[in-house]
Amino acid sequence: MKKTVASAPAPAPAARPARRPQAKAWQLRLYVTGQTHRSMTALANLKTICETHLQEGYSIKVIDLLKHPQLARGDQILAVPTVVRKLPKPVRILIGTLTDTDRVLVGLDLRAAR
Amino acid sequence: MSPTLKSQNPKPVAPPGRLPKCPTGIQGLDEITDGGLPRGRPTLVCGGAGCGKTLLGAEFLVRGATQFNEPGVLMAFEETEAELKANVASLGFDLAGLVRQKKMLIDYVHIERSEVQESGEYDLEGLFVRLNHAIDSIGARRVVLDTLEALFAGLPNEAILRSELRRLFRWLKDKGVTAVITAERGREQLTRHGLEEYVSDCVILLDHRLNDQIATRHLRIVKYRGALHGTNEFPFLIGDKGISVLPITSLALNHQVSNERIATGIPRLDAMLGGKGFFRGSSILLTGTPGTGKTIISCNFAKAACLRGERVLFFSFEESPNQIIRNMHSIGLRLEPCVKRDLLRFHSARPSLYGLEMHLATMFKEIAEFQPDVVIVDPITSLVEAGTDSECKGMVTRLIDYLKAGQVTTLFTSLTQGGHALQQSEMAMSSLMDSWLLLQDFEGNGERNRVVYVLKARGMAHSNQVREFLISDRGIDVVDAYIGPSGVLTGSARAAQEALEKAGLLTGQQEADRRKRELERKRIAIDRQISGLRSDYETEALELRRIDEQVGTSTLMLNSERAASGRLRQADAKVAGGLRHRARLARIN
């Protein structure tokens, strides 16, 4: 199942239209296996970070590998959860539950590595 | 965990009888492992760079797909699908074709540490999902993970990785696939990252060793839980048809023996060997100093076998096939028709090309392929260069055992150095041989001559004579060597001796003729005497008769004279007497 979460689920409905035009600027894919605690944590963390740091707009596509195992090959997924930044180029890969925000920001090129 | 076979903690799943095995189809490996890898379990294949791990994995899958109808998944961590296909194509494996037929699936796993940022907890469920999907999509029974250890380089968190690997091996077992996991050889342990800790069923160690500038690949089953296996190190070969591990030869002496005899191609040599030649399936050693004609006798033997329609495999370690053919042509031995009819095959290699074991493996491979009736190794002594004496002897033993088991007649030539140790065969392998011919040079009279003799020939009456043999443009001719008080005479000395004998014979002949003539003369003289005597005798007989006649006449005359005088004296009284005398005269006449 592909679930496209555009800044969902519902933090502030009013904010959504404002981000729509630039939604394509950031495309993220989150690969998970089932609705595990780890998947949920990763998704929640990713959303928080995006909300905080990606004011220009973003889209998160959650891919459940249990339902679409053939998709694992394309993005070379080994670990779950994995976040793949498809856009902007180049592709970035983040693995884990994204609890360490600093490392996530570095991984997403939002902050230079220290 | 130490790589020893532990008897405690037996697997509850293990059947009471034989462990189910999954044949690899790799030549020789199934013999060593007594049937293959443990079915439904992971096997660890470890070894250094370039020792053939990936290839072993690939061949395991290809053979599985083609020979045993077991599709397989190759999860490659180091090489891309295209690279793998190209790499194994040289071994005659058509990966692309198998992939198209859905008998094989290659999944290249790319992992690059610099591209991955880690944050928080994770597991390798993605890998499991991929593998599971790959296995299910083609119904795979075999899985190869090559080289799993790349994960250690790609993922920063070793703790997570280790627990996940443990889970992976458990999962593979539960999945029931026979898996081969390759790993780099570590410095102090079998694998660099201790993967042997997780794989407890079967561990195979590959090795590529350099010994005296010659590299040889070896394979050893370090452990195989619950099964008998060869524990030795076996050399293996990566040839144009994949891996072949040296087949284990039975080292027991229980070969079938044949009473059939085969000719050597040199009739007088056959005569020396009880009139019929060698036993089929026997091993023959032909030793000689350089230039005594070892190769020529070998080629004669080869040609004779080819003429009988047998297949001959000629291992040459000194000359190229074309050179041998050309050289034999010069003595009137034409080998190229045999080569054209594929009855004779040459295999030429420099001894230093690779190690002894590799040579043996190559020879086994060639023999298995060509199925010869006769094998010639020219010369076996060259192989000493590639190993030590004891190694060489071991090799020859195995080769002979292998060939004898197949009833293959083998002729080894052995080069001995000049001097006095002529009968000392290199490597002390003469005891392994059934027949031993010795070729020797005799020097003297400013020339060098070749002699041949049979030093031993098990199971047949053989000549004890030293024979000289001549090599001319018509081939080999074995002649009697003259053995005189001063030793064996050969060459011109023999010719001189022969001339001497011939002269002696001639003189004797002449003497006899002369005596015959003399006797004849004598006989004629006696004959003549006899005829003289006979004529004397006849003359005398004639004389005798004449005498007789004279005597008669004179008596008559006497009587008539008497009658006449009587008549003169008393005429009428003497008439009657006169008449009687006349009648008597008539009776005499």
Side-chain angles (χ1 to χ4, degrees), chain B residues 22-26 30 39 56-73 93 98 103-104 139-144 178:
Chain B
C22 175
T24 59
I26 296 171
D30 291 343
R39 181 172 288 284
L56 190 133
E59 187 166 352
F60 172 65
L61 292 183
V62 169
R63 303 261 176 225
T66 55
Q67 295 176 11
F68 305 104
N69 198 24
E70 292 190 0
V73 169
F93 299 154
L98 290 171
K103 285 186 163 178
M104 205 167 159
R141 312 273 303 129
R142 299 176 177 211
V143 170
V144 170
T178 310

Side-chain angles (χ1 to χ4, degrees), chain A residues 38 73 76 78 80 95 97, chain B residues 106 108 110 117 121 123:
Chain A
R38 231 177 237 158
R73 210 170 158 176
Q76 287 290 353
L78 288 180
V80 284
I95 59 173
T97 46
Chain B
I106 301 173
Y108 168 59
H110 173 78
Q117 184 65 250
E121 286 172 23
D123 56 31

Side-chain angles (χ1 to χ4, degrees), chain B residues 260-530:
Chain B
E260 195 189 335
R261 301 279 283 268
I262 53 175
T264 60
I266 306 165
R268 297 225 30 195
L269 193 56
D270 293 341
M272 289 171 76
L273 294 160
K276 295 179 203 151
F278 301 113
F279 280 115
R280 180 175 298 287
S282 66
S283 50
I284 303 145
L285 180 65
L286 192 62
T287 54
T289 47
T292 43
K294 296 181 295 297
T295 306
I296 291 176
I297 290 189
S298 312
C299 286
N300 258 293
F301 188 48
K303 172 92 180 180
C306 288
L307 290 179
R308 288 191 300 270
E310 295 172 7
R311 296 162 79 80
V312 180
L313 190 54
F314 198 116
F315 292 101
S316 167
F317 295 110
E318 281 178 346
E319 292 178 273
S320 72
N322 289 333
Q323 195 183 330
I324 293 176
I325 290 172
R326 184 203 65 192
N327 293 352
M328 290 309 124
H329 205 275
S330 74
I331 61 156
L333 199 62
R334 299 175 68 88
L335 294 174
E336 59 270 35
C338 309
V339 175
K340 274 200 193 105
R341 284 172 60 205
D342 204 26
L343 288 172
L344 176 62
R345 188 183 286 180
F346 285 99
H347 178 90
S348 287
R350 278 274 167 219
S352 53
L353 186 60
Y354 28 65
L356 201 54
E357 293 294 353
M358 194 64 152
H359 274 295
L360 189 56
T362 316
M363 288 164 91
F364 277 15
K365 195 169 144 277
E366 286 279 326
I367 290 163
E369 245 177 58
F370 190 63
Q371 293 290 325
D373 299 289
V374 172
V375 168
I376 294 169
V377 183
D378 181 41
I380 189 84
T381 31
S382 284
L383 292 178
V384 182
E385 289 170 27
T388 63
D389 271 14
S390 69
E391 278 174 354
C392 205
K393 186 175 179 187
M395 174 205 161
V396 173
T397 312
R398 289 212 303 242
L399 185 60
I400 288 176
D401 282 336
Y402 179 64
L403 291 169
K404 279 198 169 179
Q407 289 268 304
V408 181
T409 316
T410 325
L411 178 73
F412 297 96
T413 69
S414 163
L415 181 72
T416 49
Q417 292 313 313
H420 262 291
L422 276 175
Q423 296 194 352
Q424 175 203 326
S425 67
E426 301 265 342
M427 299 169 278
M429 59 181 187
S430 61
S431 59
L432 299 170
M433 301 294 171
D434 297 322
S435 303
W436 185 3
L437 299 185
L438 196 68
L439 304 179
Q440 205 170 330
D441 267 340
F442 271 106
E443 260 180 46
N445 290 346
E447 59 188 43
R448 217 165 47 83
N449 297 299
R450 303 177 175 96
V451 296
V452 57
Y453 57 100
V454 182
L455 212 64
K456 85 171 184 192
R458 284 180 182 152
M460 63 177 88
H462 55 273
S463 164
N464 64 352
Q465 207 180 8
V466 176
R467 308 266 173 116
E468 181 178 2
F469 72 97
L470 306 172
I471 299 171
S472 67
D473 53 2
R474 291 184 315 281
I476 289 187
D477 191 17
V478 178
V479 295
D480 289 333
Y482 181 84
I483 305 163
S486 55
V488 180
L489 295 183
T490 55
S492 64
R494 174 180 48 78
Q497 185 66 32
E498 275 172 7
L500 209 64
E501 282 181 1
K502 211 168 165 184
L505 207 67
L506 200 66
T507 318
Q509 185 80 38
Q510 284 168 347
E511 177 72 12
D513 283 354
R514 193 185 57 76
R515 287 199 56 198
K516 237 161 86 182
R517 272 199 307 278
E518 195 176 313
L519 284 173
E520 187 72 15
R521 241 191 343 264
K522 236 179 183 165
R523 203 170 62 86
I524 290 168
I526 292 170
D527 265 1
R528 210 175 288 136
Q529 270 180 328
I530 291 173

